[in-house]
Amino acid sequence: RLFMKLAGCRVACTVYESSAGDQNLGPHRDDWYGAIVQQLGAKAWLLGEGADKPDATPTLILNPGDVLLLPRGVLHDVKTPDYSVHIGIAFITDEKLAT
């Protein structure tokens, strides 16, 4: 509720736990602004155009304590090199992406 009051929009928080090789959503774009907080392990992020290529190289690796601010609409995919726990915070506005 504090995030919603500060941000002036709806906010959803989700905890993601994954092991190496776990399935994910695949390359996609989110319709909200995101903050990713890495808690345990590491997560490899592929960001921007080209993130949907099978041989794409990760743009960055998040380690515990790292925070990624992800603008809405940015193409992204994730890979888990080992065990990982991260928190996703979605700032949901009434704006919609143009399709």
Side-chain angles (χ1 to χ4, degrees), residues 36-48:
I36 310 303
V37 183
Q38 189 67 33
Q39 297 295 302
L40 297 170
K43 185 68 79 170
W45 286 80
L46 298 86
L47 302 169

Side-chain angles (χ1 to χ4, degrees), residues 6-87:
L6 292 172
C9 64
R10 291 178 295 138
V11 177
C13 295
T14 307
V15 176
Y16 295 92
E17 178 182 34
S18 51
S19 296
D22 280 355
Q23 289 287 75
N24 61 40
L25 296 174
H28 65 282
R29 300 173 194 274
D30 292 326
D31 201 21
W32 54 79
Y33 299 95
I36 310 303
V37 183
Q38 189 67 33
Q39 297 295 302
L40 297 170
K43 185 68 79 170
W45 286 80
L46 298 86
L47 302 169
E49 299 310 315
D52 55 348
K53 305 283 188 258
D55 59 347
T57 302
T59 307
L60 59 95
I61 307 289
L62 290 186
N63 292 297
D66 290 343
V67 176
L68 169 64
L69 299 178
L70 189 62
R72 71 190 262 283
V74 170
L75 181 64
H76 61 281
D77 195 7
V78 295
K79 306 286 184 213
T80 307
D82 198 12
Y83 179 75
S84 171
V85 175
H86 74 272
I87 298 171

